[in-house]
Amino acid sequence: MYIFDGAMGTMLQAAGLEEGYCPELYNIEHPDIVRDIYTQYLQAGSDIITANTFGACSLKLEDYDLQNRVRDINIAAVTLAKEAIANVKPEARVAGSMGPTGRFLQPLGNMSFDEIYHTYREQAEALIEGGVDFIIIETIIDVQEMRAALLASLDAREARGKTKDDVQIICQFSFSEDGRTITGTPPDVVAVMLEALGADIIGINCSLGPEQLTDLIRQMAAVTNLPLICQPNAGMPVLINKQTVFPLSADEMGPLMLPIVDAGATYIGACCGSTPEHIARISEAVKAHTPAERPHVEPFTAITSRTKLVRLGHSEKPLIIGERINPTGRKVLAQELRDGSFIRVKRDALEQVEAGADILDVNMGVAGMDQTPLMERAIFELSSLVEVPLSIDTLDSKALEIGLKNYPGRALINSVNAEQEQIDAVMPLAKRYGAALLCLPLSSGDLPEKATDRVALANTIVEAAYSYGIRPNDLLLDPLVLTLASGDNSAKETLETLRLYKEKFGFPTVMGLSNVSFGMPQRPYLNGQFLTMALLAGLTTPIMNPLNYPVKKAFTAGCTLLGWDPGAAKFINDYGYEQEGEIPGNSAPNSPSKASFDDNDPLANIRACVEQGEKEAIIELVKQALSDGMNPLDITKKGLSEAMNVVGDKFGSGKLFLPQVMLAAETMQAAFTTIKEILPASESLDKGTVIVATVKGDIHDLGKNIVGALLENNGYKVIDLGKDVAAEVIVDAIKEHNASVVGICSLMTTTMPQIDNTIEAIRGAGLDTKVIVGGAVVSQDYADQAGADKYAKDGIAAVNITNELFENQ
C-alpha cells in the first residue's frame, strides 16, 4: 500500500496564493513555501509526493504568458520535492503532475490530437529530465485528451532512455455523480482502453468524495489487473458564510478510504480540500487495515467506443459487425464521398445500429481518392453519432493511423495479413494505439485452400504480433471465406478453419459472409445457412448486413439454438409476429429504421435530422421547407426546438452524451444559418442576447465554452467575456449589450465566492438581468445562497433555462 499526498492548491491558498497568480510559478518565486508543503505531507505519512506542476504545460501557462518557461517550472518543482524528501523521508518518491489543458479535441473542440500531444510531450520530457519516479496524468474528463497525454508520456520516457522500472505512468480520470466522465465514459471503458495503451497504474481523482468513488474503483477492478489509485476530494464542497468548505474532516475521511482499499486500490491519496492532517489520518487507517483480496481478472478481448465496452469471444454471445459503410460495389455511396457528403454514411450507421449491429466496420476506399481525410472525417462523424465501437477497415497505413489517432476508444483494425510489409506497417500502429487486431491468413501467392494451411499462416501472424508486444487478447482471427465457385469444398474448409482456430488459439473469430455466395442465386438464403453452420463451428463475430432480413433472422435463430437467447426471448420478440410460411422482405415489419424519413411531414424530417446530427441533410430540408412557404417560426419552434428538447431529455436520462448533444446542436445551428441566409430579416431567429463568463480568478473555461456553443447553436447571440472576468467587467457588458440573461460559472472551489460578488455587483448596479450560475463545484444550494435566479447543472439545462427565461419576459 502506497500513500500519496493531498491537495496542493488548498495549501498554497492557505500560504497566501492570490487570485490570478500562477500556482506553478511558486516553484521559482516562492520555493520555500512549496518545499514546506511537500515537507508537511511527508511528515504526515506520504510515500509519494506530487510535484506542483498540475498546470505547467504550455497551453495552461499561456494564461499567465509563461508558455516559454515549461522546462524551468517543471524541473524546479521536482527539485524542491527531492530536497524535501532528502531531509524528511529518503525512501519517498516523486510524481510529476500533468493536469487537463482546458481544451476539447476535435470534433468536440478545435484542438487537434497532435497539438494536445505536443504540449504534454514537452511537459513530460521536462518532468523526466527533472528526475520524477512517476508521471501522473490527472483530473482528465475526455478520453482523447488522456490518450494524447499517455502517448506523449510513453514517447518521452522512451526518448529519455527510461523504462517502466524508472518512471511509471499513472492515469486518473474524474467522474461525475452519474458514474461517467462529463463526455460519457464509464470506468470499465477507461480501464480497458488505458491498459491496452500501456498505462502502468490507473484510477480516479477529484470531483467526488470517497463514498461516491468506491463503486467506480470496484468497476475498474472488475476488468483489469493493473494497480489502481484513488484520490477523492474531502467530500462535496458546500458554501458556509460565503466560504467554500469541504465537509469531511481528517478524522472522518480516514475510515472512509478503507472501502476503496477493499475495492482494489493500492495507491491512496486525496484531492481538493485535503490537508496534511487528512493524509495523516488516511495513512494511519489504511496501514492498519488488512485489505480484502482482489480477485484476478482473466484476460478477455474487448473493444470500446467512448461510452461503451463490447466483449468478444467464445464465452460471449455472438456479435454482429455491420458491413455497409463501405463504398466497394456501392456506386452511390462512392459518389457521395467524392462529393464530400457523409449523409449516407451516417444513415447507414444509424440504420445498422437500429437493426442490431454491435460494431460498425468503416471502409473509406474510394477509387482515385486519398483515404486519409475521408477516414478522419468518418471517425469524427461516427464516433459522435453512435455508441457502438468501430472497426477501421483499410490497407492504407496513413488512413489507418489517422483513424486510430482520432478514435476516442479502443478500435478494431480490419485487418493484417502474413505479408511482411503489412506486418511491419500495421502491427506497430496496433501496439501504439492499443487497438485490437484482426488477422487474415493471406500471403503472397495463391489463396490457401486447406484449413491447415490457413491455420499455419495465422500462426505466423500471431507469432509476429507477439514479437511486437501485442497480447493474445488483442487478437482476432478471420478464417478467409472463399466463394463456392472456387471449389466444392471451399465452405467446408472455412468451417474447418473456424474449428481449428478455436481449438488451437481460442481467439474470437470474425468472418465476412457474403463472399461465400458470390455468383450464386438465392444469396441471402445461402448466406443464412452458412452463417448458422459457422456459428456452430466457432464463429463469434460475423461481418454482415443486419438489414438483410433472411441473414439477420438466421443469426438470431442460430444464437437461440446455441443457447445465447434464454427462453428464446429475442427470437420471439423479433419474429413472433410472423405467420407460418410468411416470407417478408428484407426489413422486419416491427423494426422501423431510426433514420427513416416521412415525405409527408417535413417538420418530422427536420426533427429527425437534429436528433441524429445530420448537419448536411438538414440544410436541404430547411431550404425545401422555406421554398414551400413554411413559416420560419414553425421550423424553429415545431422542428428545431422540439428536437433539441428530445435531445435534452435523452441527455438527462443518460441515453445520450455530450458528443451527441454537441452534434445535434451543430445541426440545429446549420438550420438557423440556412434560414438567415435565405431570409436575413427574419425576426423569428432573434432569440436574444446572453452573456457568459468565468468569474474572477478562475482560468478554466471548458464548461463555459460548451454552454456558449449550445446557446449559440440554439439561436442566441452569445457574448463570451472569457475567463478570469472581474464583476465590474460583467456589469459593463450587461449595460453595453442590454442583455437580459447572464451565465457565470466557477470551476474552482476557491473562486466560488466570486459568484456572490458578481451577483452583488449586478444587483448593486440596479440591473434586473437574470443570472444563471453553474460549474463543476457549484450546486443548487450554493446558487440559492448566492442569490442566483437559476442553477444549471449542465449545458442542456442552461439552454432550457434560458429558453424559459426569455419566453417568460
Side-chain angles (χ1 to χ4, degrees), residues 467-487:
S467 72
Y468 276 95
I470 296 172
R471 307 165 301 173
N473 56 308
D474 297 328
L475 299 173
L476 300 89
L477 299 176
D478 189 316
L480 182 62
V481 179
L482 300 181
T483 66
L484 286 172
S486 66

Side-chain angles (χ1 to χ4, degrees), residues 506-527:
F507 302 159
T509 51
V510 177
M511 182 181 79
L513 294 176
S514 56
N515 198 41
V516 71
S517 61
F518 184 77
M520 297 289 291
Q522 297 289 322
R523 294 191 67 188
Y525 180 79
L526 280 174
N527 292 342

